[in-house]
Amino acid sequence: MAGGTRGPVPVPLEAQNRNVTQDVLDLLDTKSPLQTSEDFPSIPQPEIKAALDRLASRSMVQYDTHEKDQVLLTKESETIVADGSHEYKVWDAVKQAGKIPIKELPKVVGADSAKVGQGNAFKNKWIKKDGDSLVLVAEEVKDTTRDILKDIQETKALSDTKLLNDLKKRKLVTTSKVLSYSVTKGPKYAKEIPVEVTDLTAEMLASGAWETANFKPYNFNALGSSQNAGALHPLNKVRQEFRNIFFNQGFVEMPTGHFVDSGFWNFDALFVPQQHPARDMQDTFFISDPPKADKPRSDPETEAQMDAMEAGYNRLFATAEKRSTKPRDYEQYFQNIKEVHQNGAFGSIGYRYPWSEDECLRLVLRTHTTAVSTWVLHRLAEDPRPARYFSIDRVFRNETVDATHLAEFHQIEGVIADFGLTLGGLMRFLEDFFSKMGIENLRFKPAYNPYTEPSMEVFGYHVGLGKWVEIGNSGMFRPEMLEPMGLPRDLRVYGFGLSLERPTMIKYGVSNIRELLGHKVDLGFIESNAAVRLDKN
Amino acid sequence: MPTISVDKAALFAELGKEYTTEEFDELCFEFGIELDEDTSQSKKPEDLAQPPQLKIEIPANRYDMLCFEGIALNLRVFLEKQKLPKWSLTPPASGQLETITIKEETMKIRPLCSGVVLRGIKFDQARYDSFIGLQDKLHQNLARQRTLVSIGTHDLDMVKGPFTYDALPPEEIEFVPLNQTKMMDGKQLMEFYEKDKHLGRYLHIIRDSPVFPVIYDADKTVLSLPPIINGNYSKITLDTKNVLVEITALDKTKVEIVNHMIVAMFGGYAESIEPINIISPHNKESREAPDLSPRQMQAEVDYLNQVTGLGLPPAEISELLERMGYTVAPAKPDDKLLDVAVPITRADVLHQCDIMEDLAIAWGFNKLPRFYPNKSAAVAAPLPINKLGDIVRFEAAASGWSEVMPLILCSHEENFEWLNRKDNGGTAIKLANPKTAEYQIVRTSLLPGLLKTINSNRHHAVPIKVFEVSDVGFIDLSKERKSRNERHFAAAIMGKTSGFEQVHGLLDRLMLMLNSAFITREEGLKNEKLEGYWIEEVDDPTFLKGHSATIKLNIEGKEHTIGVFGILHPSVLHKFELPYPVSTVEINLEVFL
């Protein structure tokens, strides 16, 4: 970003009750080029510069900048120029008195001069010791130090570098850079700044004054005026990109409007055994109030939402013969889940443990949106057919909060149901999905997940980090999850998921999740974060 | 996922190849385990102090890879260096099996017991350490911190069968615990280990029970107090020749899985694996344990081929499955079903889908044909509430407000007391086990999050104008999940002046965009058919008196109160530590669906 002030060039500078701009114009009339260091020695450099810029932007003057070192006296040396050097003062005092006891000297010339001056006066052979007193050697002396400093005071320069360094070391002088300018008339030189207008106005348009108006130049090195703009949250902007990817692929959004779910939907129906570590107090938020869920049953409100969303599909793919639907039997589903855990069923030997209904009906804050996918897939059993569902919503884990973990985050989840799906097909789908956010070359690692088999961790090559990073999880839902719902054996279902925060953090170089989600996020970050284009950058 | 540390040189010797770290990482990736770290590349003093280790992450269901022996064995089989061994039982020369009699008393605390004898075992330091390590890993994972299953191992030559598994009052159990010198009873033992970093966390499993589980021998010498500790008397050493393993449990399936794992991992170091006669008539659990015969399953050739997309003949499938430890009965080329023997090591195999995954791993996930099989069309649709929420979000941002995303969970006082609101007990969803006081309930209002966000941004120039469109949660006993979410919109402005007109104006703007006309209160109350919204002054302790109003809406012939706006009461500002006046508006969006 270029520096400078906003908007038009500032109005005239009145320095020390002088109009510097006008002074420059006046002098240029008779003297061009002029040297600011000589012609305006008393005006501070920034004020000169501002005046010259103002005139130069109107092409009324041109100027060159000169930089040179300037030698300045310190307070101490200014005293020397006025009163003489320390050694001179000592010599002078001895000369006046004829003889001074050494002990008395500070009282006569001051402590500082006594200390430094005595030594130098000895060295110069101006005075000598006589017992405990000082007596004169030289009748006449030349105070060179004072003469040199006096010369510097007048010229602000010293050509002898060795001497200069010596004086600097003795803290008698300092050096500083000074800017001065040589100024000549510019192509539009005039003795006065013509009257300028700052902006085009409606009146000028009406009167025609704009044709002759002299417009004040605009400072293009500054930003325009602040827009007081509103802003969408960066994480929601990324979310929108993902939603668009899903919509482009024909996915229907799942009804995720409940943070609380039962153990049944969150775990049991997903074939997560009741002793699974995920169901520990350490990992899952359990609910103390309300105390317990009902057994699964129909939910007319959410059904109506799903019906409305799938109306488009049903209309488009309607056939002459009406499709038959098989109403869901929730009690049967519940019993099937119990059976497949406790005794094994649907071609599975099950986990073979005493399954508890109480555990199943405990309420939890959903640990994943897969709980909702389960509900939607159970609904699909009424009319098993190819279907695609997605959701992006908040999930909860009872984690210890650190730079990469919060107790809440967003899960992106996609589900594809179809007949005859293959594992390679899921890989191809994910390659396409991730290519839309610029990640190519996926690799898949066998993994374990209680509700998918096969399960695959998805790795993408991160060019910036120079390594393979895990970007998501995927798999095909287990028959133990699907068949108890009443879905036919040959309908297979892909599931894949990732967090919304992780790709956002990688993409935008955010290292602490708390800078992205939650109340500690900086509003400045929200306001200035660029539009999100996953395919672009 | 458990991480297992194994000696690098010893593992590579087993695998018959000196892998580079990259090569071994690749092998792990293909097999589905993960090389976490190769300590030969580490500069940490603790890593330099020992021979290079490979730290390998094991999937949570592969109990057969929780020790060096298991990792080496499975990789050797995968690399076709060997076939998986067939473990078998050998009764002792005398023909007389060791017995464990389970007393009915154990039903009160820990009813199941299994065991095995590893006879003629040869330990060295590495094997011994691995033996202990495996028990520890099994205790942590499958056994859920010893609650479900626990293992005790004993020098059989120090004790004398028959053995008894009983449950006795703590005072009646007296022994010297492992690596101790003092005799103590059950009660004293609980006190003794109360502060113990390692064992203290298991005491709760039995502490409050009137009887403690105990295993003793013919002379009443205590072998162990499951699931806490063994006796010192029967402890195994490097010189132990015959090991008695006893496993007590709550879970019938897991007790045998654990038995299988110990036999499969360490049976190879013994001359024979000897069954134990379990006598437990009261719960019909009398048997000879363990049963080492592989589990017979069937897998459909078509299914295996379809899901993997491979189309292989049965013989080739069989070969691939052998690399994953299965034994497949010879099959004819046109066989539809394969008889697959699942070894005792593979407790994770429940369904033919598990066999199918192993086929895909043996073939190589990344070599599978990547084709999308179907070209079925689909029709996308957004969730109506999300579509509505997005409209409101875009309009609020276009009006110059910035979107924020605070957390859903908050403390009780932020949601109630700090806003001068009362918890009537039936509204907010409460968490049972939060780790901090920050997370006590699901918020019932978006205001706490907005105010906390402003508080964290006090360095920002005023006015600060923020909004959020998101869900709050309520208890709702009419629902299956006894609760429901509600999509809310809320905004807050903090500035040198109250900003009351600003939130009011924003409300008007959103109502206009939601096609809801402004009507007067009188019009609205008089005619429910007249659609639109109006404002009614209200006394609400969250807000400054005389400066708050409810928002009423007539929509589809019904009147709703959808929200409230106003200037926050100074006491609220004080609680949230806000230096300037703040006005807020919050409405329920669900009615606009």
Side-chain angles (χ1 to χ4, degrees):
Chain A
M1 192 192 302
T5 46
R6 285 168 198 274
V9 175
V11 283
L13 291 152
E14 302 288 341
Q16 297 164 348
N17 299 323
R18 288 178 63 180
N19 183 336
V20 182
T21 320
Q22 192 55 52
D23 289 350
V24 170
L25 290 179
D26 288 346
L27 189 59
L28 266 184
D29 192 35
T30 55
K31 184 183 177 192
S32 181
L34 61 77
Q35 304 298 337
T36 58
S37 54
E38 293 160 14
D39 297 314
F40 300 102
S42 61
I43 297 180
Q45 177 268 334
E47 286 169 24
I48 288 282
K49 171 88 163 56
L52 293 179
D53 281 343
R54 183 163 177 253
L55 293 170
S57 71
R58 291 163 174 79
S59 305
M60 294 175 72
V61 305
Q62 290 165 336
Y63 70 87
D64 294 319
T65 307
H66 307 289
E67 186 184 286
K68 70 169 191 206
D69 282 328
Q70 169 174 276
V71 186
L72 298 171
L73 298 191
T74 60
K75 277 245 148 51
E76 185 186 356
S77 41
E78 274 170 9
T79 327
I80 291 174
V81 172
D83 306 335
S85 65
H86 300 302
E87 54 270 29
Y88 180 82
K89 281 197 259 179
V90 171
W91 173 83
D92 191 45
V94 175
K95 189 179 180 184
Q96 302 291 331
K99 186 172 188 169
I100 296 178
I102 295 176
K103 268 191 268 172
E104 297 292 312
L105 187 66
K107 285 183 202 155
V108 185
V109 298
D112 287 344
S113 293
K115 200 170 139 212
V116 183
Q118 212 187 139
N120 284 341
F122 284 141
K123 208 160 64 188
N124 294 353
K125 296 192 164 53
W126 289 356
I127 56 168
K128 65 176 184 188
K129 257 190 210 170
D130 181 20
D132 289 341
S133 301
L134 298 172
V135 294
L136 217 57
V137 175
E139 283 297 327
E140 290 297 322
V141 295
K142 194 166 150 41
D143 192 353
T144 341
T145 310
R146 177 171 177 270
D147 295 346
I148 292 167
L149 292 176
K150 194 162 182 241
D151 193 43
I152 291 171
Q153 191 178 41
E154 282 156 13
T155 59
K156 293 199 162 78
L158 181 67
S159 49
D160 183 344
T161 354
K162 205 176 148 208
L163 183 59
L164 179 65
N165 287 338
D166 183 48
L167 292 176
K168 272 162 93 173
K169 216 185 293 169
R170 285 163 64 188
K171 297 205 165 57
L172 290 175
V173 301
T174 57
T175 54
S176 72
K177 298 243 181 271
V178 268
L179 295 175
S180 67
Y181 308 91
S182 60
V183 189
T184 56
K185 287 180 181 174
K188 291 193 183 162
Y189 173 79
K191 281 187 78 177
E192 279 182 3
I193 295 183
V195 176
E196 288 177 334
V197 292
T198 50
D199 208 350
L200 181 62
T201 63
E203 288 78 17
M204 289 163 70
L205 284 179
S207 66
W210 65 272
E211 283 189 87
T212 53
N214 182 20
F215 284 98
K216 190 170 182 174
Y218 196 83
N219 177 4
F220 290 103
N221 288 327
L223 290 175
S225 64
S226 168
Q227 293 300 290
N228 297 318
L232 296 172
H233 195 284
L235 203 52
N236 265 339
K237 293 195 282 194
V238 177
R239 175 175 172 269
Q240 190 56 46
E241 280 283 283
F242 276 107
R243 288 182 86 218
N244 287 341
I245 294 172
F246 279 115
F247 287 140
N248 292 342
Q249 302 266 26
F251 282 74
V252 170
E253 198 163 23
M254 289 188 269
T256 47
H258 53 271
F259 297 139
V260 176
D261 222 318
S262 60
F264 179 83
W265 291 110
N266 197 76
F267 295 124
D268 292 280
L270 283 143
F271 201 50
V272 179
Q274 295 185 333
Q275 305 83 9
H276 193 276
R279 300 179 79 152
D280 254 15
M281 300 292 268
Q282 296 307 311
D283 294 309
T284 299
F285 283 115
F286 289 92
I287 305 293
S288 60
D289 184 23
K292 191 179 163 191
D294 288 345
K295 283 164 79 170
R297 57 181 163 88
S298 91
D299 174 357
E301 265 177 60
T302 317
E303 295 292 340
Q305 281 185 3
M306 288 298 293
D307 288 345
M309 282 190 286
E310 296 197 315
Y313 179 97
N314 289 327
R315 241 189 336 266
L316 185 62
F317 299 124
T319 53
E321 60 191 292
K322 198 175 176 326
R323 292 178 69 91
S324 63
T325 61
K326 182 183 67 174
R328 274 163 287 170
D329 182 340
Y330 285 88
E331 183 54 32
Q332 184 62 52
Y333 183 29
F334 194 70
Q335 290 308 320
N336 285 348
I337 291 299
K338 176 180 178 176
E339 194 62 17
V340 78
H341 279 248
Q342 187 165 291
N343 300 316
F346 307 102
S348 172
I349 60 169
Y351 294 118
R352 293 151 288 146
Y353 69 95
W355 184 85
S356 150
E357 182 172 312
D358 278 346
E359 186 63 36
C360 164
L361 296 180
R362 283 178 85 178
L363 286 167
V364 300
L365 284 180
R366 66 172 174 226
T367 60
H368 49 190
T369 49
T370 319
V372 181
S373 306
T374 311
W375 184 89
V376 170
L377 288 169
H378 180 230
R379 183 175 177 276
L380 190 67
E382 286 202 344
D383 178 14
R385 59 190 156 74
R388 295 177 171 197
Y389 301 107
F390 86 97
S391 63
I392 306 174
D393 210 342
R394 207 80 65 111
V395 296
F396 304 86
R397 305 273 168 92
N398 198 2
E399 306 229 41
T400 306
V401 173
D402 62 26
T404 51
H405 295 88
L406 274 180
E408 309 177 14
F409 61 96
H410 292 81
Q411 185 184 343
I412 302 171
E413 166 138 328
V415 166
I416 299 174
D418 208 336
F419 297 95
L421 292 180
T422 64
L423 194 54
L426 173 56
M427 296 175 179
R428 169 52 64 90
F429 180 86
L430 291 171
E431 282 180 323
D432 182 55
F433 183 87
F434 283 104
S435 75
K436 293 179 201 314
M437 41 186 299
I439 300 174
E440 312 276 352
N441 298 325
L442 300 190
R443 282 171 84 208
F444 298 90
K445 175 174 165 288
Y448 167 63
N449 184 336
Y451 46 89
T452 52
E453 189 81 5
S455 308
M456 307 189 293
E457 282 169 6
V458 188
F459 284 75
Y461 192 76
H462 190 284
V463 180
L465 300 175
K467 63 173 184 181
W468 291 90
V469 291
E470 192 189 332
I471 51 177
N473 268 295
S474 66
M476 295 172 77
F477 287 121
R478 290 189 73 98
E480 290 99 325
M481 171 180 164
L482 300 177
E483 290 184 42
M485 296 173 173
L487 286 166
R489 285 190 62 202
D490 55 345
L491 186 88
R492 301 196 189 111
V493 184
Y494 296 150
F496 59 95
L498 59 154
S499 86
L500 177 61
E501 283 77 6
R502 189 170 151 78
T504 307
M505 288 169 75
I506 294 176
K507 203 103 195 172
Y508 298 101
V510 178
S511 57
N512 188 336
I513 191 170
R514 284 167 287 195
E515 289 166 15
L516 199 59
L517 179 66
H519 61 267
K520 294 195 175 124
V521 177
D522 180 22
L523 278 177
F525 170 65
I526 295 174
E527 288 161 351
S528 59
N529 180 275
V532 171
R533 303 162 78 190
L534 289 182
D535 52 333
K536 276 284 180 192
N537 36 44
Chain B
M1 286 202 289
T3 302
I4 311 297
S5 202
V6 296
D7 186 275
K8 182 174 170 178
L11 184 67
F12 288 177
E14 284 289 321
L15 301 182
K17 181 176 170 184
E18 276 304 313
Y19 288 85
T20 64
T21 304
E22 289 71 30
E23 282 169 348
F24 188 69
D25 184 55
E26 185 65 28
L27 173 66
C28 289
F29 193 97
E30 287 298 315
F31 189 68
I33 56 182
E34 194 167 320
L35 178 62
D36 225 24
E37 198 189 341
D38 176 351
T39 64
S40 67
Q41 298 177 328
S42 164
K43 299 230 153 44
K44 287 187 211 148
E46 66 266 29
D47 288 329
L48 295 173
Q50 60 173 346
Q53 302 286 305
L54 298 171
K55 294 184 179 169
I56 303 174
E57 262 192 51
I58 304 297
N61 64 341
R62 288 302 298 266
Y63 315 118
D64 58 328
M65 298 186 78
L66 293 177
C67 60
F68 173 86
E69 287 75 9
I71 292 171
L73 177 64
N74 277 294
L75 287 179
R76 279 175 58 83
V77 172
F78 181 63
L79 295 169
E80 296 174 279
K81 301 266 175 215
Q82 73 168 91
K83 299 244 190 239
L84 197 74
K86 300 203 184 332
W87 294 276
S88 59
L89 296 166
T90 315
S94 69
Q96 196 62 41
L97 298 186
E98 293 293 349
T99 64
I100 299 178
T101 303
I102 304 178
K103 291 289 179 73
E104 195 167 354
E105 279 299 292
T106 60
M107 297 293 282
K108 291 179 185 159
I109 175 82
R110 203 171 177 88
L112 302 167
C113 186
S114 184
V116 68
V117 172
L118 300 177
R119 206 169 274 281
I121 200 163
K122 285 175 205 68
F123 279 125
D124 57 26
Q125 193 63 47
R127 290 174 181 186
Y128 182 88
D129 291 345
S130 182
F131 191 54
I132 305 297
L134 172 67
Q135 293 174 51
D136 189 48
K137 292 290 178 192
L138 287 169
H139 280 152
Q140 296 318 313
N141 295 283
L142 178 68
R144 309 293 313 121
Q145 319 289 341
R146 302 193 185 182
T147 52
L148 301 176
V149 187
S150 59
I151 309 157
T153 52
H154 310 278
D155 189 332
L156 183 61
D157 299 323
M158 296 296 291
V159 287
K160 195 173 131 206
F163 302 97
T164 306
Y165 176 39
D166 202 349
L168 298 171
E171 301 80 5
E172 292 175 26
I173 305 169
E174 267 202 308
F175 68 108
V176 179
L178 187 64
N179 299 332
Q180 299 298 326
T181 48
K182 213 179 86 204
M183 181 80 95
M184 44 187 115
D185 72 15
K187 262 218 157 83
Q188 292 164 331
L189 187 135
M190 286 289 144
E191 282 161 27
F192 183 78
Y193 286 113
E194 179 74 62
K195 293 267 159 59
D196 190 280
K197 228 168 51 194
H198 178 57
L199 294 176
R201 60 199 160 121
Y202 305 121
L203 302 182
H204 73 95
I205 305 172
I206 57 168
R207 184 167 40 204
D208 299 328
S209 165
V211 288
F212 287 2
V214 60
I215 293 179
Y216 49 82
D217 75 351
D219 301 332
K220 288 261 176 182
T221 303
V222 171
L223 273 65
S224 68
L225 181 82
I228 313 298
I229 196 159
N230 294 340
N232 194 54
Y233 186 71
S234 58
K235 83 169 169 195
I236 58 166
T237 66
L238 287 179
D239 302 323
T240 297
K241 295 277 171 290
N242 302 308
V243 174
L244 169 70
V245 182
E246 42 84 5
I247 309 157
T248 59
L250 296 178
D251 185 302
K252 239 158 92 167
T253 308
K254 293 191 177 70
V255 75
E256 290 309 325
I257 292 176
V258 167
N259 205 341
H260 284 161
M261 293 308 149
I262 290 179
V263 166
M265 298 299 111
F266 289 90
Y269 297 146
E271 282 160 14
S272 64
I273 303 159
E274 195 176 297
I276 289 183
N277 194 17
I278 307 286
I279 302 165
S280 185
H282 58 276
N283 57 356
K284 302 193 175 61
E285 288 295 330
S286 298
R287 66 197 188 280
E288 269 182 28
D291 176 0
L292 300 184
S293 52
R295 189 156 37 83
Q296 295 301 325
M297 280 181 76
Q298 289 193 314
E300 296 159 276
V301 174
D302 280 353
Y303 170 79
L304 298 178
N305 274 326
Q306 269 173 22
V307 183
T308 55
L310 284 176
L312 301 173
E316 200 171 334
I317 293 176
S318 305
E319 275 173 36
L320 288 165
L321 288 179
E322 299 230 334
R323 290 181 53 201
M324 304 304 288
Y326 300 93
T327 311
V328 186
K332 288 193 262 326
D334 55 348
D335 274 356
K336 295 267 181 257
L337 285 174
L338 296 178
D339 287 314
V340 181
V342 183
I344 55 169
T345 48
R346 295 301 306 277
D348 59 300
V349 176
L350 307 176
H351 188 278
Q352 64 169 344
C353 69
D354 297 298
I355 298 172
M356 177 266 289
E357 182 184 62
D358 279 341
L359 174 65
I361 292 172
W363 178 268
F365 267 22
N366 292 296
K367 291 186 209 131
L368 289 174
R370 287 189 192 181
F371 298 108
Y372 199 80
N374 296 349
K375 288 165 186 67
S376 57
V379 177
L383 190 68
I385 191 71
N386 287 350
K387 193 175 167 187
L388 174 69
D390 284 347
I391 291 170
V392 174
R393 290 175 52 237
F394 294 141
E395 293 300 343
S399 305
W401 298 65
S402 292
E403 185 179 34
V404 297
M405 291 179 87
L407 302 180
I408 308 279
L409 304 178
C410 64
S411 76
H412 188 277
E413 57 181 12
E414 285 162 2
N415 194 74
F416 290 106
E417 289 86 348
W418 287 12
L419 291 173
N420 295 328
R421 289 177 178 170
K422 286 210 167 49
D423 179 9
N424 65 12
T427 339
I429 299 156
K430 296 189 176 64
L431 307 189
N433 57 330
K435 287 200 173 94
T436 73
E438 273 182 279
Y439 310 129
Q440 293 174 324
I441 60 165
V442 174
R443 62 184 179 186
T444 63
S445 161
L446 299 182
L447 294 189
L450 289 181
L451 299 182
K452 284 196 283 179
T453 305
I454 294 178
N455 172 291
S456 324
N457 280 281
R458 282 178 300 185
H459 57 277
H460 190 279
V462 289
I464 293 176
K465 295 158 77 180
V466 292
F467 77 93
E468 184 186 11
V469 175
S470 185
D471 283 0
V472 300
F474 294 110
I475 293 178
D476 183 343
L477 298 178
S478 71
K479 303 274 185 187
E480 178 191 324
R481 298 163 181 93
K482 304 298 163 195
S483 55
R484 68 184 160 84
N485 282 17
E486 198 171 272
R487 184 67 49 94
H488 279 201
F489 163 82
I493 178 170
M494 178 171 89
K496 294 274 170 61
T497 55
S498 78
F500 188 57
E501 293 89 352
Q502 291 289 322
V503 291
H504 190 175
L506 177 63
L507 173 71
D508 291 336
R509 173 72 192 164
L510 295 182
M511 288 298 155
L512 186 64
M513 293 300 100
L514 292 170
N515 204 17
S516 192
F518 181 70
I519 56 180
T520 65
R521 177 168 181 259
E522 290 68 30
E523 287 171 337
L525 289 176
K526 202 162 59 197
N527 181 4
E528 285 193 346
K529 295 269 180 302
L530 182 67
E531 300 221 327
Y533 74 102
W534 70 94
I535 309 294
E536 277 183 26
E537 190 180 325
V538 71
D539 213 5
D540 182 329
T542 304
F543 301 101
L544 193 62
K545 202 167 165 50
H547 292 85
S548 58
T550 50
I551 304 145
K552 302 275 189 174
L553 177 75
N554 275 355
I555 193 166
E556 288 168 354
K558 265 184 83 177
E559 187 199 313
H560 304 266
T561 300
I562 58 167
V564 60
F565 73 101
I567 302 175
L568 285 184
H569 196 278
S571 63
V572 176
L573 299 179
H574 179 73
K575 291 290 187 199
F576 285 94
E577 295 176 18
L578 301 175
Y580 298 120
V582 175
S583 292
T584 65
V585 57
E586 176 162 20
I587 60 171
N588 172 10
L589 293 179
E590 308 262 344
V591 294
F592 294 99
L593 271 178

